Amino acid sequence: DEFISSPPRKTVRFGGTLTEILLKYEKGDTTDFELLKHQLSDPDIKDAQIINWLHEFRASVAYLTKELEQLVNILLKLPWLRRSREVVEEYLGFLGNLVSAQTVHLRPCLRMIVSQFVPPRITIREDDVDISDSDDDDENISENFDTCHRALQTVARYVPSTPQFLMPILVEFFPFINKSERTLECYVHNLLRVTVYLPILRLQILELIIEKLLKLDVSTPQQDIEDAEETANNCASEEKSTEEGLFDMEEDEDRKGNKVVSPSIERMAHPLAERLDILMTILFSYIKDVCHVDGKLDISNTKDLYRDLVSVFDKLILPTHASCHVQYFMFYICSFKLGLAEAFLDHLWKKLQDPNNPSVIRQTAGSYIGSFLARAKFIPIVTVKACLDLLVNWLHKYIDNQDTGANAYCDVALHGPFYSTCQAVFYTLIFRHKQLLDGNLRKGLAYLQSLNFERIVMCQLNPLKICIPSVVNLFAAITRKYQLVFCYTIIERNNRQFIPVVRSGTGGDLVQTCTNPLDSFFPFDPYILKRSKKTIDPMYQFWEELSAEDLENLKKPIKKGTSEDEDDDFLKGETPQNDGVVEIAPNSYESNTRSPASSIGSPADCYVPYPL
């Protein structure tokens, strides 16, 4: 009974040799051809059968013309990846023969390979509904990806034009952002692997990946991420307090030490932020691996990758307003060598001063310069001074040109790049003033006095009225302390002249106070994605919270005769460290009235009382 009920081993094939079947098909006899298609489509087909058929197909590729496209598609759907090594090798040989003899099938072959760049899909049936998702438990997934890249390299070796046909397919198969994290992770990882053996596609692939990352980034504002984290932490605290009432202390200790709990600490509560975090970690790893050979920085590789990344930065990042995290790929690669950081600053400087660039691009370039100089620990103070000299000299020349003109009045639309540059200078001074004055106070003060901030602040263009108030307040406090310029009179006058914007809507009149007329932002505000921030934090300059003593010190101007030995504690204090208590950054989408305790990492909206 057992013998009768068991299916026979499928080692028998019908219909004669492949050549005979194809010749009969050409003459109109389709019986054997349909039988062939049926045998190849059988989900229970054996390895031995696949090998036999592939061997015959390799010898008969001349017959596989455009008219037999349907048969070729069935061959491309064969489950070859999860078969024995013999099947895999035979299939790779067949692909090479097919594309070299019949290039008309190049696209279908490439589509088949790229479709394998994500984990296989499994269907789960719940309540009469098919739920399809990636199979993350496939043990051979890494080996399968290796085989896919071998297949792609085989095709590229036989058909030199493969890259131009491959790129549109890579774009088409990019998973939607609502797919599982594992699916996105695998696809991006495999795209970056393609750049290793098809370097001609690297720039386009980087553009594709960063464009998708950018969409994720702007879809998840920093405030939404922080709110999700706060909610998750509150829920975790409630669960913990409930569990403490149910379990004794010994069990509680066991649970705290359990490794199962630890991944939740790494995960982002916001689902899109979790995807972005994973993909940014992959991108950072790729940049590091390309630039380092045997653990040492390879200058040639690094320069080539830097050029590609700057190109992507100009095309995608610079025109995008208020992205929070993706732009850090430039921050990261610049940290490898000072020359790269200086090249990036020079690149931004050229964008800023070029009048042929759109005003919004020039303003954004100014924001990047200020944020980069303030936040990058790897930029030495000598480079900061060189950049301040460039920026301040440009500001003075701009004022010279406006003094005699008809446009010498406060207007963001007319002078956007000027105000953006002022804010970059103010922001840099807030973060770097201690280092600028460190060592030799008299020499440092002489340098800051040579920048002539008083002329910039007092000019008809009135930059203190346009820059973000939190930056203006800290700049005013610091420059007053060192008697560089007294800003408070101008700030008070600006406040008196300020007219609220009144908008009429269906809900009645709404009074709005615009605290950011420049609509500027600081691109290198604190990085908050949990996994990938580990790469950024060691090279990142956090803002140290101002203590009550520091605030008092800011109110006390130093005496002009102060010698180097009489420096007060505020002057001798260390530069801000990332292990200090930190506060909120003034950024483009927050007013200066936001509570500083609600976030981390940057100058708080500091209010230093006007001196009486």
Coordinates of all heavy atoms in Angstrom, one line a residue, residues 114 158 172 215 234 280 351 458 497:
V114 N 18.1 40.6 -10.3 CA 17.8 41.7 -9.3 C 16.6 41.4 -8.4 O 16.6 41.8 -7.2 CB 17.6 43.0 -10.1 CG1 17.1 44.1 -9.2 CG2 18.8 43.4 -10.8
Y158 N 30.0 38.8 -20.3 CA 29.6 38.5 -21.7 C 29.0 39.6 -22.5 O 29.1 39.7 -23.7 CB 28.7 37.3 -21.7 CG 29.3 35.9 -21.4 CD1 29.1 35.3 -20.2 CD2 30.2 35.3 -22.3 CE1 29.7 34.1 -19.9 CE2 30.8 34.1 -22.0 CZ 30.5 33.5 -20.8 OH 31.1 32.3 -20.5
E172 N 13.7 50.3 -10.7 CA 12.4 49.7 -10.7 C 12.1 48.8 -9.5 O 11.0 48.7 -9.0 CB 12.1 49.0 -12.0 CG 10.8 48.3 -12.2 CD 10.7 47.3 -13.4 OE1 11.6 47.4 -14.2 OE2 9.8 46.5 -13.4
K215 N 13.9 60.8 1.1 CA 12.5 60.7 1.3 C 12.1 60.2 2.6 O 11.1 60.7 3.2 CB 11.9 59.8 0.2 CG 11.9 60.5 -1.2 CD 11.3 59.5 -2.3 CE 11.4 60.2 -3.7 NZ 10.9 59.3 -4.7
N234 N 7.7 56.0 28.0 CA 6.7 56.1 29.0 C 6.0 54.7 29.2 O 5.7 54.3 30.3 CB 5.7 57.2 28.7 CG 6.3 58.5 28.8 OD1 7.3 58.7 29.5 ND2 5.7 59.5 28.2
M280 N 21.2 54.0 7.1 CA 22.3 54.9 7.3 C 23.5 54.1 7.9 O 24.7 54.4 7.5 CB 21.9 56.0 8.3 CG 21.0 57.1 7.7 SD 21.7 57.9 6.3 CE 23.0 58.8 7.0
K351 N 29.9 78.0 -3.5 CA 28.4 78.0 -3.8 C 27.9 79.3 -3.1 O 27.0 80.0 -3.7 CB 27.8 76.8 -3.1 CG 28.1 75.5 -3.7 CD 27.2 75.2 -4.9 CE 27.5 73.8 -5.4 NZ 26.8 73.6 -6.7
M458 N 25.9 96.8 13.2 CA 25.4 98.2 13.2 C 25.0 98.6 11.8 O 24.4 99.7 11.6 CB 26.4 99.2 13.7 CG 26.8 99.0 15.1 SD 25.5 99.3 16.3 CE 26.4 99.1 17.9
Q497 N 10.1 97.4 17.0 CA 9.7 97.6 15.6 C 8.9 96.4 15.1 O 8.3 96.5 14.0 CB 10.8 97.9 14.7 CG 11.5 99.3 15.0 CD 12.7 99.5 14.1 OE1 13.2 98.5 13.5 NE2 13.2 100.7 14.1

